Amino acid sequence: MSLPHSLRWTICAAIALVCASAVRGILAAPQPQALTIDASKFASAAELERDVDAICSGGLRMPGGKLHKQKVAWFEGQLKAIPGVTLSSHEYGLTSWEPLEGQTLEQAGGLRVDGASLDIASAIAYSKPTGAKGVTAPLVFLPSGTPITADNAAGKVVVRDIDYSNVLPYGVVLVPSYSNTGDFTSVLLKSYKRPATAPQLLADMLAAGTAGAAGVVTAYDVPRSYMRSAFTPHDGTMYRVPGVFVGVDEGATLKAAARRGASATLRVEAQVYRTTTRNLYATLPGQSPETVVYVTHTDGVSYVQENGGAALLALLRYFAALPLSQRGRTLQFAFNSGHLHLSREGTDFFSRTVADGLASNNVTLVVPVEHMATREVEQVARAGGQPGSELRYTGKGEAMLWCVGPMRAVVGAVQAAVARRRLDRTIVTRGAGLPNPAVVPMYTSFAGLGSYFHTRLVPTTALISGPWTLWAPSWGKGAVDFARMRAQTLALGDVYFGVAGAAKADIDAGYAAYRRQRDAGTPQFELFVPPESAP
Ligand SMILES: *[C@@H]1O[C@H](CO)[C@@H](O)[C@H](O)[C@H]1NC(C)=O
């Protein structure tokens, strides 16, 4: 049947009108979708800064602690004020470890050597509280690479240098990339060396507990001023030994004292108690039940760690202000807890639910977002031949990893968004680290929250960085470039529109192939989830 164009249009319009009034637009003819976020209607850098201030201020935000509960309530208030959003939450229990009320992580620890007190940078998170008196024992320095055993460490306070042995050259970081922004020449011959990629501390704390050590002191290779009240590690494993971090100068003092056979008194005062915390989920319906899920976390310690929450709020407010006709897929925003407590990580729980329900829950793409818009800090030599190095802002952006699983349409959308928003220092990549073809997925890390979804074979693209400032609150707000944050947030929003034309099955195809390989016997990589108590 061939009708004149104008008549066809009239019939269509009439049908659309009838349907729209009958079923409130659900069956309305699809409207052309915007392809990008309209930056003129989007939160300003100053508004992002205001929200980051609200989220990241006030001291250590331990999941389940008093301050973090206030932050979760703040998020809930913000989300409730956005029209059209449905809120739900998942509450769960955990054992919290945090400094005594009103104290910083620096005040939570102490060291005395030969009767004189020695400044520390911070208590080692989750290390065993000693009470105010502390424990006194002989010092022993064990160089990196020397295992901590009962023979060399029982009954002693072990002094260690922070160990960067598995640091990666930038060249290797770039190997699995699809593309990068072409502005990495100043670092290409260097290594990506950051405390966040020096995980030997975890093994040390466990080994020291097993060996019957009296305590652990880990020395940074920078002055303590940069790392005051830095929070590490975040496994959420209660250790069997107390521990503190010191700066490079105090480390040198302790090594000399160990050579003399001196003893040290090590103090950690912390409260360990059962509590609860919550993930918040905000859902904004689109025309289709297919869902794009943005994910971040709400607990943290610096202006870097949980600043993604401000980006997600800005995106949600923007999407909620659009007419339904501009939102093809449903949007969900997960503000999860427990990231400073990986043994009870809210995103671990959430990602399991998503992965288990993948056949029916309509989740089409997950977009985890963390540690946005950080400013690059590098080590430079200290004046006068002093040990270790200073830290300096380089004036450039910290490298951002934008991991994208095996999804051609999403890679294209991410690359287009990176170009459109002129992002700097961004690596669009298959994963963090080199591939392991013996498992699915072949790239086993997205360097953060993204790993939970990706390794459970949920279609994932994740933005993250891991700067020197990540765990160190002393850098304050200066660690974040809010104009850069705005550009990155716009790009994250653009991806929603950029994949709108791709069918769910096409987005999922690469992960579906992984799931078939798994079902045919290829081992699925299993992310390590630490225990809440040290063995
Ligand atoms: C997924 O979408 C279908 C419709 O396509 C709907 O019936 C179902 O309830 C949705 N599942 C969830 C968990 O929302």
PDB file of all heavy atoms in Angstrom, residues 289 360-362, ligand 1:
ATOM      1  N   PRO A 289      13.539  -0.671  29.000  1.00  0.00           N
ATOM      2  CA  PRO A 289      14.033  -1.194  30.281  1.00  0.00           C
ATOM      3  C   PRO A 289      15.535  -1.498  30.253  1.00  0.00           C
ATOM      4  O   PRO A 289      16.154  -1.663  31.312  1.00  0.00           O
ATOM      5  CB  PRO A 289      13.212  -2.480  30.481  1.00  0.00           C
ATOM      6  CG  PRO A 289      12.776  -2.888  29.119  1.00  0.00           C
ATOM      7  CD  PRO A 289      12.660  -1.629  28.308  1.00  0.00           C
ATOM      8  N   SER A 360      18.293 -11.581  32.782  1.00  0.00           N
ATOM      9  CA  SER A 360      16.963 -10.964  32.859  1.00  0.00           C
ATOM     10  C   SER A 360      16.944  -9.545  33.417  1.00  0.00           C
ATOM     11  O   SER A 360      15.898  -8.904  33.440  1.00  0.00           O
ATOM     12  CB  SER A 360      16.051 -11.843  33.721  1.00  0.00           C
ATOM     13  OG  SER A 360      16.600 -11.920  35.022  1.00  0.00           O
ATOM     14  N   ASN A 361      18.083  -9.022  33.862  1.00  0.00           N
ATOM     15  CA  ASN A 361      18.000  -7.716  34.545  1.00  0.00           C
ATOM     16  C   ASN A 361      18.151  -6.517  33.608  1.00  0.00           C
ATOM     17  O   ASN A 361      18.158  -5.374  34.070  1.00  0.00           O
ATOM     18  CB  ASN A 361      19.018  -7.640  35.692  1.00  0.00           C
ATOM     19  CG  ASN A 361      20.463  -7.717  35.221  1.00  0.00           C
ATOM     20  OD1 ASN A 361      20.760  -7.589  34.042  1.00  0.00           O
ATOM     21  ND2 ASN A 361      21.369  -7.948  36.164  1.00  0.00           N
ATOM     22  N   ASN A 362      18.335  -6.751  32.319  1.00  0.00           N
ATOM     23  CA  ASN A 362      18.373  -5.668  31.320  1.00  0.00           C
ATOM     24  C   ASN A 362      19.615  -4.787  31.402  1.00  0.00           C
ATOM     25  O   ASN A 362      19.685  -3.767  30.714  1.00  0.00           O
ATOM     26  CB  ASN A 362      17.112  -4.789  31.410  1.00  0.00           C
ATOM     27  CG  ASN A 362      15.839  -5.600  31.206  1.00  0.00           C
ATOM     28  OD1 ASN A 362      15.761  -6.396  30.282  1.00  0.00           O
ATOM     29  ND2 ASN A 362      14.866  -5.416  32.084  1.00  0.00           N
TER      30      ASN A 362
HETATM   31  C1  LIG B   1      13.663  -6.430  31.728  1.00  0.00           C
HETATM   32  O1  LIG B   1      12.885  -6.024  30.655  1.00  0.00           O
HETATM   33  C2  LIG B   1      11.698  -6.770  30.448  1.00  0.00           C
HETATM   34  C3  LIG B   1      10.990  -6.198  29.250  1.00  0.00           C
HETATM   35  O2  LIG B   1      11.802  -6.235  28.128  1.00  0.00           O
HETATM   36  C4  LIG B   1      10.816  -6.724  31.671  1.00  0.00           C
HETATM   37  O3  LIG B   1       9.698  -7.557  31.491  1.00  0.00           O
HETATM   38  C5  LIG B   1      11.605  -7.147  32.887  1.00  0.00           C
HETATM   39  O4  LIG B   1      10.833  -6.961  34.055  1.00  0.00           O
HETATM   40  C6  LIG B   1      12.889  -6.354  33.008  1.00  0.00           C
HETATM   41  N1  LIG B   1      13.652  -6.870  34.127  1.00  0.00           N
HETATM   42  C7  LIG B   1      13.943  -6.141  35.175  1.00  0.00           C
HETATM   43  C8  LIG B   1      14.683  -6.836  36.265  1.00  0.00           C
HETATM   44  O5  LIG B   1      13.631  -4.982  35.275  1.00  0.00           O
END
